[in-house]
């Protein structure tokens, strides 16, 4: 029997999409029955009370959570988000309901024994509710009490060889697409690089000293499946410098209709026969493709690697072989001065272990941001405030036209004294020899 | 050089009337001769030693003396 | 409730402490066929909605069955997933960035059986547990934030609004009839801890009333300088106020004052100061944004634009939200060309036509007036359509 009546939430049990309400109710039931004889370390009716407080929000249209300043386990400045219910007498099971962020394996592959072990810990020491996964990429363990935080951390580190993720003014848990593990378009090993940099920067991840949050995301190609270009302070996006590989027989098979365009992604609508001119060549943003003697030609020097042709004909076209990545910096959501997309900083860099060159770029950016960034200023905002040219200078790169979409619209160049012949110190007496007062 | 602990604690106590939580930048400014990353090491050592505690807004982290401030009381955690 | 120690000693927190070990290495978890062919994949194909096939140089084929789940997931359900993964694919599974789940097998026959099995699994209330789909030119799972389940500044619920939208669009999760993929994202307040600002369609919770100030208690619960500093628009200042307490006593207290016309309803003050709550039943609701994308394909990545300034909160099923999303999706599905993303379509036909085709109403709220970037969104040309 449910502890609280939830007539409004019950209406979210119907409809075809998986119902989180049904799932929480089943978990509440499991906890009530406790067939596994778990010695619950937080109130066993936590799921019931969560449904109760959520029903209250559905009734009065407002949240019933308060923020808590608790940050993590001893010595860590992140990984835990503190939450308290503002109706603890009505819902004692969720009076304290803190979240823990657990660092996910790169690419989010799991073995079941690992997940089961994690579930066992969380059944005993937490609410039994999770997010698989949070927006940044962590496994999110949703709801436990303060005394359990250290216990869970101890079990994670000792028994599961797993650490917490980031929160607050930290390096946030890096996230990668599945990359080379199952994608023919990965221009570098996103999982390995994500792992290596996560390990290299454990201190930055756990002990906050940045002006604000900082995110790394690793996308294997310009399709950007983890949205690095939109939501990471530093986006590592795979690319290549040489030519797109062409299998002319497969091109002919696409033209002849034996192969389905775009890997069959448009199967449920009749779009007519595949037309390579209309669907590939005419849509190429740089118009660098054509058919000659029945063969597909690409002027690779003019190609900007947008991936459209490769996406449409994955069996005929391949990413180039001289592979690496571009680094774009400063993406963020709109708060405060408006949304920012990542801006190109490093056009091309090799992504090879031990990633020394890339680490140099990262560390020069951090040194600059830590010195110059105001409290709660994202990297993108600092770049806006001090200029992209400054950012390029900080990492020791030469400014190139690739850095901009177009040159500046105004002539207000703030020249530096050392860049002007003769400097700025002038003699008024000398001037007066030629100009009356 | 004076003990970093004394510098930080004295600074925080001098501000205690108005606030109990400080950004990393406010504390790093107490060690002007130091690179930010060195200052970070010292300040984080103070956390490990129990002199300072973190406080997080979720998006931003601040530092304070243990038990100082008003919110801990409001949260019933002290 | 008997306390069971993990081994942690609260008196000596540093004793046997393990820190800074990071995540497990992904290679421990890769299915054997994935580990074997890593970096040596040739091409892939979507065999049917929800089933992908990747071909490796070795000749190996791996069939991936993709299915949706709510991102809020119980350990009971995860264990059930583990049972399925143990039975069908050697104990391996994978989650995607967009909260889908993937199981990998080595033959099409196994994949089809698995798909049939997953589609047959339902909760008691009737909803699917593991609906297969989310591939190709369709509508995949909606990424979202916490909402009323766990957040202190949400203007709406996240899990509920997403459930409603995916119920409405369920057929298109399982089909591939769209001109290109539609990525829908949901964030429950303007801080966007789920960055939704580059989505084909974004659902955003929004407050419309400045914080209420609990003057009597503020100075006891908050540090005024922190509340002042929390405001991104500088709208909060320290103040003194004469109040009558609940007990009827008149006194002057230290508190804050808010310049209400400057408030952008972000809730940052409430984070720092619990005496400044923001939530309000009638004030809060949803903004709909459209036309963003993150892929570099054909056109550059772009931001989503506000196309509906406000939809009231209508729990539990948010009918207006579902209707508006449906209008946008159908207008796009019938108007866009093959491969054209929603934002590219809107730009080709012009935003004046976008409002006509979708039946959405344009209002002054859709004209940007926030700081410098606003100017670049106005029309500095005589080229427009009547």
């Amino acid at each position: 029997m449910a502890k609280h009546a939830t007539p409004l939430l019950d209406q979210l049990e119907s409809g075809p999409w998986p119902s989180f309400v049904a799932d929480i109710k089943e978990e509440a039931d499991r906890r009530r029955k406790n067939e596994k004889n778990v010695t619950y370390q937080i109130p066993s009716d936590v799921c019931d009370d969560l449904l109760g407080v959520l029903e209250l929000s559905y009734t009065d249209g407002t949240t019933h959570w308060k923020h808590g300043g608790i940050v993590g386990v001893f010595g860590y400045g992140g990984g835990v988000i503190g939450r308290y219910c503002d109706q603890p007498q009505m819902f004692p099971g969720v009076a304290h309901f803190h979240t823990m962020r657990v660092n996910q394996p790169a690419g989010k592959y799991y073995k079941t024994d690992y997940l089961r072990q994690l579930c066992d810990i969380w059944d005993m020491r937490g609410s039994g509710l999770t997010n698989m996964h949070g927006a940044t990429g962590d496994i999110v363990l949703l709801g436990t009490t303060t005394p359990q935080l250290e216990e869970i951390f101890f079990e994670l580190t000792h028994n599961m060889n797993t650490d917490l993720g980031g929160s607050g003014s930290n390096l946030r848990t890096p996230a990668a697409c599945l990359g080379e593990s199952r994608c023919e378009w990965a221009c570098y090993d996103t999982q390995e690089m994500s792992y290596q940099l996560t390990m290299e920067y454990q201190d930055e991840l756990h002990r906050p000293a940045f002006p604000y949050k900082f995110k790394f995301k690793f996308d294997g190609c310009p399709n950007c499946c983890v949205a690095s270009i939109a939501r990471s302070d530093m986006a590592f996006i795979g690319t290549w410098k040489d030519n797109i590989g062409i299998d002319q027989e497969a091109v002919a098979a696409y033209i002849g209709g034996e192969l389905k365009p775009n890997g069959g992604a448009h199967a449920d609508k009749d779009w007519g026969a595949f037309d390579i001119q209309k669907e590939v060549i005419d849509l190429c943003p740089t118009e660098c493709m054509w058919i000659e003697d029945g063969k597909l030609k690409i002027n690779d020097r003019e190609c900007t690697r947008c991936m459209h042709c490769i996406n449409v004909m994955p069996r005929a076209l391949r990413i180039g072989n001289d592979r690496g990545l571009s680094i774009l910096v400063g993406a963020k959501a709109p708060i405060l001065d408006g949304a920012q997309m990542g801006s190109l900083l490093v056009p091309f860099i090799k992504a090879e272990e031990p990633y020394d060159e890339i680490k140099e770029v990262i560390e020069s950016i951090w040194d600059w941001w830590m010195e110059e960034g105001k409290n709660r200023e994202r990297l993108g905002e600092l770049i806006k405030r001090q200029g992209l040219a400054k950012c390029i200078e900080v990492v020791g790169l030469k400014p190139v036209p690739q850095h901009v979409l177009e040159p500046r619209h105004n002539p207000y160049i703030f020249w530096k004294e050392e860049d002007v012949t003769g400097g700025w110190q002038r003699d008024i007496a000398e001037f007066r020899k030629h100009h009356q007062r | 050089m004076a003990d970093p602990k004394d510098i930080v604690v004295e600074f925080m106590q001098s501000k205690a009337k108005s606030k109990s939580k400080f950004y990393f930048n406010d504390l790093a400014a107490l060690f002007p001769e130091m690179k930010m990353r060195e200052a970070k090491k010292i300040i984080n050592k103070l956390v490990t030693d129990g002199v300072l505690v973190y406080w997080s807004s979720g998006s931003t982290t601040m530092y304070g003396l243990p038990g100082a401030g008003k919110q801990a009381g409001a949260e019933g955690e002290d | 409730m008997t306390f069971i120690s993990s081994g942690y000693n609260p008196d000596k927190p540093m004793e046997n402490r393990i820190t800074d070990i990071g995540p497990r290495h992904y290679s421990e978890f890769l299915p054997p066929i994935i580990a074997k062919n890593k970096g040596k994949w040739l091409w892939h194909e979507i065999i049917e909605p929800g089933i992908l096939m990747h071909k490796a140089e070795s000749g190996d084929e791996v069939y991936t069955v993709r299915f949706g789940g709510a991102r809020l997931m119980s350990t009971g359900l995860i264990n059930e997933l583990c049972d399925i993964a143990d039975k069908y694919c050697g104990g391996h599974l994978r989650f995607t960035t967009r909260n889908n789940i993937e199981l990998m097998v080595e033959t099409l026959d196994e994949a089809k059986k698995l798909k049939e099995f997953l589609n047959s699994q339902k909760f008691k209330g009737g909803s699917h547990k593991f609906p297969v789909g989310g591939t190709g030119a369709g509508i995949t799972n909606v990424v979202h934030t916490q909402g009323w389940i766990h957040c202190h500044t949400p203007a709406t619920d996240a899990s509920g609004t997403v459930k409603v939208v995916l119920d409405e669009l369920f057929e298109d999760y399982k089909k591939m009839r769209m001109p290109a993929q539609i990525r829908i994202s949901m964030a429950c307040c303007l801080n966007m801890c789920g960055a939704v600002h580059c989505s084909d369609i974004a659902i955003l919770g929004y407050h419309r009333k400045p914080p209420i100030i609990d003057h009597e208690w503020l100075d006891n619960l908050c540090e005024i300088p922190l509340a002042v500093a929390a405001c991104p628009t500088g709208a909060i200042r320290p103040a003194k106020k004469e109040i009558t307490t609940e007990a009827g006593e008149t006194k002057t207290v230290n508190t804050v004052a808010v310049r209400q016309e400057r408030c952008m309803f972000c809730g940052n003050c409430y984070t720092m100061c619990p005496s400044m709550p923001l939530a309000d039943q009638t004030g809060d609701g949803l903004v709909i944004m459209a036309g963003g994308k993150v892929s570099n394909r054909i056109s550059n990545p772009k931001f989503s634009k506000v196309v509906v300034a406000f939809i009231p909160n209508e729990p539990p099923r948010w009918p207006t939200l579902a209707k508006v999303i449906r209008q946008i999706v159908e207008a796009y599905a019938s108007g866009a060309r093959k491969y054209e993303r929603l934002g590219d379509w809107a730009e080709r036909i012009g935003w004046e036509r976008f409002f006509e085709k979708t039946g959405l109403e344009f209002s002054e709220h859709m004209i940007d007036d926030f700081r410098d970037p606003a100017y670049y969104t106005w029309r500095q040309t005589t080229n427009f359509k009547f």
Side-chain angles (χ1 to χ4, degrees):
Chain A
M1 199 32 212
K3 184 176 171 188
H4 306 281
T6 53
L8 294 175
L9 291 178
D10 294 351
Q11 296 176 51
L12 288 171
E13 285 194 79
S14 57
W17 187 256
S19 168
F20 69 101
V21 174
D23 190 16
I24 301 174
K25 281 187 170 181
E26 289 191 6
E27 193 59 32
D29 267 340
R30 274 187 291 269
R31 288 179 82 91
R32 211 171 295 126
K33 290 181 190 144
N34 193 13
E35 284 173 357
K36 290 183 181 170
N37 279 317
V38 178
T39 314
Y40 294 120
Q41 299 293 295
I42 73 164
S44 62
D45 56 358
V46 53
C47 293
D48 289 297
D49 277 351
L50 183 66
L51 286 168
V53 72
L54 189 60
E55 178 75 12
L56 183 59
S57 286
Y58 271 60
T59 309
D60 68 15
T62 53
T63 189
H64 288 280
W65 299 104
K66 293 191 290 181
H67 178 71
I70 196 161
V71 288
V73 294
F74 186 77
Y76 276 16
V80 172
I81 308 292
R83 283 290 174 272
Y84 302 90
C85 182
D86 74 4
Q87 291 291 3
Q89 294 81 10
M90 286 164 79
F91 308 107
V94 292
H96 294 209
F97 198 70
H98 310 317
T99 285
M100 298 185 85
R101 294 182 179 172
V102 177
N103 198 333
Q104 82 289 1
K108 301 189 175 78
Y109 287 89
Y110 293 98
K111 280 184 75 174
T112 51
D113 54 354
Y114 180 86
L115 286 178
R116 288 183 200 278
Q117 199 181 354
L118 187 67
C119 287
D120 286 346
I121 294 175
W122 194 237
D123 279 340
M124 178 167 119
R125 302 193 178 277
S127 68
L129 300 175
T130 75
N131 292 148
M132 297 299 287
H133 297 72
T136 300
D138 302 270
I139 301 168
V140 174
L141 302 178
L142 206 60
T144 191
T145 58
T146 308
Q148 287 305 312
L149 299 173
E150 287 290 350
E151 306 293 333
I152 293 162
F153 179 68
F154 193 94
E155 292 215 34
L156 286 176
T157 50
H158 286 75
N159 307 332
M160 296 196 67
N161 194 17
T162 291
D163 209 334
L164 295 185
S167 63
S169 313
N170 279 345
L171 172 63
R172 298 302 183 85
T173 313
C177 71
L178 54 55
E180 291 183 347
S181 73
R182 206 194 61 202
C183 183
E184 67 271 27
W185 298 329
C187 299
Y188 70 100
D189 190 341
T190 53
Q191 290 170 290
E192 187 61 23
M193 189 165 152
S194 176
Y195 178 79
Q196 295 291 344
L197 294 186
T198 304
M199 297 311 286
E200 174 82 16
Y201 297 120
Q202 280 290 296
D203 193 47
E204 282 74 11
L205 201 152
H206 298 302
R207 294 172 197 87
F210 288 147
Y212 207 3
K213 62 180 94 165
F214 193 94
K215 300 187 181 185
F216 282 153
K217 292 197 190 296
F218 305 89
D219 267 314
C221 84
N223 281 334
C224 285
C225 290
V226 292
S228 62
I229 199 167
R231 56 191 194 130
S232 57
D233 299 270
M234 206 172 240
F236 302 90
I237 305 174
T239 195
W240 66 92
K241 282 175 104 169
D242 57 345
N243 299 342
I244 293 174
I246 309 179
D247 175 346
Q248 296 290 357
E249 272 179 40
V251 174
Y254 279 108
I255 295 172
E258 294 105 74
L259 295 178
K260 291 177 280 183
N262 219 67
H266 294 80
D268 289 318
K269 180 171 171 180
D270 182 8
W271 294 92
F274 176 66
D275 179 343
I276 193 170
Q277 185 67 38
K278 198 171 121 201
E279 296 185 33
V280 180
I281 296 173
D282 291 349
L283 290 181
C284 171
T286 61
E287 300 176 15
C288 69
M289 313 180 84
W290 68 98
I291 298 275
E292 197 175 297
D293 303 329
K295 294 203 163 139
L296 180 69
K297 302 281 179 184
I298 302 175
N299 179 1
D300 285 277
R301 201 177 137 66
E302 297 308 310
C303 170
T304 54
R305 305 166 309 285
C306 86
M307 297 288 298
H308 175 64
C309 59
I310 300 178
N311 286 328
V312 176
M313 304 193 291
R315 292 178 71 164
L317 302 178
R318 271 185 85 72
I319 57 171
N321 288 316
D322 186 5
R323 299 171 191 169
L325 55 83
S326 303
I327 303 179
L328 287 87
V329 287
K332 57 181 277 296
I335 186 97
L336 173 68
D337 239 348
Q340 284 180 245
M341 206 69 79
S343 299
L344 183 67
L345 177 65
V346 181
F348 186 85
I349 194 165
K350 282 282 184 188
E352 284 159 4
E353 290 182 70
Y355 311 105
D356 284 339
E357 253 191 299
I358 291 173
K359 286 177 194 164
E360 270 178 44
V361 173
I362 293 168
E363 286 164 31
S364 353
I365 288 284
W366 280 348
D367 283 341
W368 174 53
W369 181 49
M370 287 174 78
E371 289 289 342
E372 300 289 330
K374 296 179 186 171
N375 294 329
R376 297 161 57 106
E377 185 175 52
R378 288 287 285 269
L379 176 63
E381 292 160 320
L382 173 63
I383 297 172
K384 258 173 115 174
R385 185 159 62 81
Q386 295 203 349
L388 179 66
K390 177 71 189 174
C391 183
I392 296 168
E393 181 194 318
V394 160
V395 293
L397 284 174
K398 182 179 164 355
V400 290
Q402 282 81 355
H403 280 124
V404 295
L405 275 182
E406 55 193 16
R408 67 191 301 151
H409 289 190
N410 61 68
Y412 309 140
I413 302 166
F414 286 81
W415 290 99
K416 291 184 195 128
E417 184 173 11
E418 59 269 28
D419 292 338
V420 183
T421 310
W424 288 352
Q425 299 310 312
R426 290 183 287 162
D427 181 2
I428 188 67
E430 179 61 27
F431 186 81
R432 284 290 164 236
K433 284 184 192 164
H434 310 286
H435 303 270
Q436 295 179 27
R437 207 160 260 124
Chain B
M1 183 183 125
D3 188 343
K5 178 182 155 184
D6 299 336
I7 297 174
V8 170
V9 171
E10 192 185 323
F11 168 75
M12 286 194 171
Q13 283 170 346
S14 74
K15 302 268 180 187
K17 272 203 163 161
S18 60
K19 61 178 178 175
S20 69
K21 301 176 184 74
F22 300 85
Y23 288 108
F24 175 77
N25 274 354
D26 305 333
L27 302 186
L30 301 173
F31 306 97
E33 72 285 1
M34 248 179 238
K35 285 249 176 207
M36 293 301 256
R37 291 219 203 180
E38 289 173 58
K40 172 187 166 156
K41 277 185 198 139
I42 288 187
I43 291 162
N44 278 307
K45 175 83 173 30
L46 295 179
V47 174
T48 321
D49 293 345
V51 178
L52 296 180
V53 292
Y54 297 114
W55 186 92
S56 176
S57 76
S59 61
T60 328
T61 319
M62 304 178 89
Y63 296 75
L65 298 171
K70 295 166 181 168
Q71 207 163 354
E75 290 165 4
E77 289 281 6
D78 49 6
Chain C
M1 202 157 47
T2 323
F3 181 81
I4 297 182
S5 170
S6 59
Y8 170 72
N9 177 357
D11 296 327
K12 294 181 183 167
M14 294 311 286
E15 190 178 81
N16 293 327
R17 195 171 190 81
I18 298 176
T19 66
D20 300 85
I21 55 172
R24 290 276 280 271
H25 195 262
Y26 60 90
S27 63
E28 294 178 54
F29 299 127
L30 299 179
I33 189 169
I34 295 292
K36 179 188 165 195
N37 295 293
K38 182 166 182 264
K40 292 176 189 141
W41 296 101
L42 281 179
W43 47 266
H44 75 277
E45 198 177 327
I46 305 168
I47 307 284
E48 56 182 63
I51 302 184
L52 300 150
M53 190 271 272
H54 287 80
K55 182 91 171 176
E57 287 171 14
S58 64
D60 287 351
E61 293 175 351
V62 64
Y63 292 83
T64 301
V65 182
R66 179 180 293 168
F67 53 102
R71 101 165 186 166
L72 175 64
M73 197 172 269
S74 72
T75 50
L77 195 65
I78 296 172
N79 276 313
E80 203 173 320
L81 267 174
C82 289
D83 292 341
I84 299 170
D86 282 340
K87 185 173 168 195
Y88 286 88
C89 22
H92 293 273
L93 69 161
R94 173 177 184 262
F95 291 81
T96 74
T97 302
R98 301 193 71 86
N99 305 125
N100 287 312
I101 305 141
E102 294 181 339
L103 294 171
M104 283 160 246
V105 292
E106 295 185 25
T107 66
L108 180 58
D109 192 45
E110 289 171 276
K112 288 194 169 177
K113 279 191 187 128
L114 186 51
K115 178 173 171 177
E116 198 187 318
F117 173 76
L118 291 166
N119 278 333
S120 71
Q121 299 299 298
K122 292 192 173 173
F123 286 106
K124 280 178 213 135
S127 67
H128 283 266
K129 276 187 175 170
F130 312 117
V132 176
T135 50
I139 298 175
T140 188
N141 206 343
V142 175
V143 291
H144 64 91
T145 56
Q146 299 290 13
W148 289 334
I149 273 277
H150 199 247
C151 183
H152 66 297
T153 57
T156 188
D157 189 36
S159 305
T161 51
V162 166
K163 159 76 174 149
V164 163
V165 167
L166 281 166
D167 277 345
E168 173 71 29
L169 301 175
F170 188 67
E171 285 310 309
D172 284 311
Y173 181 81
K174 300 173 75 73
K175 271 193 184 164
M176 306 188 290
R177 65 162 179 125
M178 293 293 147
Q181 66 268 46
I182 299 185
R183 299 269 185 260
I184 305 178
S185 311
M186 195 284 157
C188 52
C189 82
L190 62 74
N191 291 299
M192 292 193 196
C193 65
V196 302
H197 57 292
C198 296
S199 309
D200 293 284
I201 301 175
I203 305 160
L204 180 69
Y206 210 83
H207 300 283
R208 295 184 305 167
K209 296 189 185 180
I212 323 171
I213 305 172
D214 190 354
H215 293 293
E216 183 178 348
W217 284 94
L218 190 136
D219 195 34
N220 298 315
L221 297 176
C222 321
E223 292 174 28
I224 289 170
L226 290 178
V228 169
C231 182
T233 64
I236 303 176
R237 62 178 200 287
K240 284 196 190 301
K241 192 169 171 72
E242 188 168 293
I243 57 151
T244 308
T245 65
E246 281 172 23
E249 174 197 353
T250 303
K251 65 175 180 179
T252 302
V253 292
N254 290 319
T255 180
V256 295
V258 176
R259 278 178 66 181
Q260 299 196 326
E261 71 284 4
R262 269 199 175 185
C263 177
M264 68 190 297
F265 321 108
C266 70
N268 290 2
C269 54
Y270 181 58
T271 302
M272 288 301 195
C273 174
S275 297
M276 301 179 73
L278 197 68
D280 187 90
Q281 183 159 25
T282 48
D284 299 350
L286 304 165
V287 177
I288 305 298
M289 301 174 78
K293 71 183 193 97
V294 294
S295 154
N296 290 272
R297 183 176 184 174
I298 304 177
S299 64
N300 294 347
K302 47 185 125 226
F303 296 124
S304 313
K305 290 92 184 162
V306 174
V307 296
V308 180
F310 187 74
I311 297 174
N313 272 330
E314 301 167 320
R317 300 233 32 128
W318 281 272
T320 311
L321 167 68
K323 182 172 156 278
V324 164
I325 301 276
R326 170 62 73 184
Q327 279 171 261
I328 297 172
V329 166
E330 291 308 328
Y332 164 70
S334 62
R337 294 172 181 165
K338 195 176 178 187
Y339 307 115
E340 198 168 48
R341 292 288 288 267
L342 199 148
D344 292 326
W345 165 66
E347 284 172 18
R348 175 172 58 81
I349 63 172
W351 284 95
E352 62 271 46
R353 282 284 176 277
F354 172 89
F355 284 94
E356 191 180 299
K357 302 266 185 203
T358 54
L360 300 175
E361 196 183 339
F362 189 82
S363 73
E364 75 275 19
H365 296 119
M366 267 75 102
I367 301 176
D368 197 347
D369 58 0
F370 189 72
R371 304 193 179 178
D372 277 358
Y375 169 83
Y376 297 97
T377 65
W378 305 338
R379 193 185 297 271
Q380 286 101 20
T381 171
T382 56
N383 298 331
F384 62 88
K385 296 178 183 175
F386 287 108

